[in-house]
Amino acid sequence: MDWTAEAIERLKALWAEGHSTAEIGRRMGISKNAVVGKAHRLNLPARPSPIRRDAVPRPAPVPRAPRPMPVARQLPPPMLRAAPVAVAPVVAAVPAAPVVRAFPAARPRFGSRSCCWPIGEPGTSGFSFCGGEPMAGKPYCTEHAALAYVKPRDRREDAA
DNA sequence: CCCTGATTCGC
DNA sequence: GCGAATCAGG
């Protein structure tokens, strides 16, 4: 794949529109791996991934309490040994339809780590990303995060 | 099995 | 840098 500026532009646009990597690949005539690979390298905002490879520390050794003898009084309360259920703070991130385009939208530069809320019509020359300072741990600035993180609904076919 | 996206690693 | 292979969850 020859990643011309145009190709990258298209990738960003389709990515911002919320298409799946496979769909983007189909539209661009490349594999989804190429898409996700490039997107990754471009530091495009990661989509809610179905998997998590990190922070999967084995469910605690749960050291069998070496209960020596069936002496009831010596056994510790079961709840003290129960493996705690790790509750992941999962936030269903659903990019809302970017029909709003009335903000100032300072767009210094897209790339490193800046607000990736799409500004303008994807594919057109004026299209860009907000570029504002993102909230901690989020791909959007405070204003756009408010728009982006909405009720978990159908996230397909919702782009303008 | 289908889908999804992320990471790895030889090229 | 690239992306197929692989992984991993739904």
Side-chain angles (χ1 to χ4, degrees):
Chain A
M1 180 61 185
D2 177 28
W3 284 110
T4 63
E6 290 71 32
I8 294 176
E9 190 82 0
R10 188 135 119 91
L11 169 62
K12 287 181 182 177
L14 292 170
W15 186 269
E17 286 182 75
H19 298 291
S20 71
T21 58
E23 173 63 19
I24 295 174
R26 280 190 290 269
R27 295 199 183 194
M28 297 185 67
I30 59 181
S31 72
K32 69 143 193 169
N33 289 359
V35 171
V36 74
K38 185 59 178 176
H40 190 72
R41 266 170 254 124
L42 285 174
N43 277 304
L44 291 183
R47 302 274 191 56
S49 172
I51 67 177
R52 79 197 170 305
R53 282 167 171 254
D54 64 304
V56 188
R58 287 305 67 191
V62 187
R64 291 279 121 188
R67 44 184 79 193
M69 286 286 103
V71 180
R73 312 207 188 242
Q74 291 183 339
L75 295 176
M79 56 280 272
L80 291 183
R81 291 177 286 112
V85 177
V87 178
V90 176
V91 175
V94 180
V99 289
V100 186
R101 27 178 104 84
F103 358 76
R107 67 203 84 155
R109 48 189 273 278
F110 171 82
S112 300
R113 257 165 196 75
S114 52
C115 176
C116 283
W117 186 266
I119 302 297
E121 199 63 37
T124 66
S125 56
F127 178 76
S128 181
F129 294 88
C130 169
E133 182 173 347
M135 296 179 68
K138 291 197 171 56
Y140 305 117
C141 67
T142 54
E143 293 161 26
H144 291 140
L147 295 170
Y149 298 96
V150 297
K151 282 281 191 180
R153 288 278 156 188
D154 185 5
R155 62 185 173 81
R156 291 185 180 77
E157 312 301 327
D158 63 347

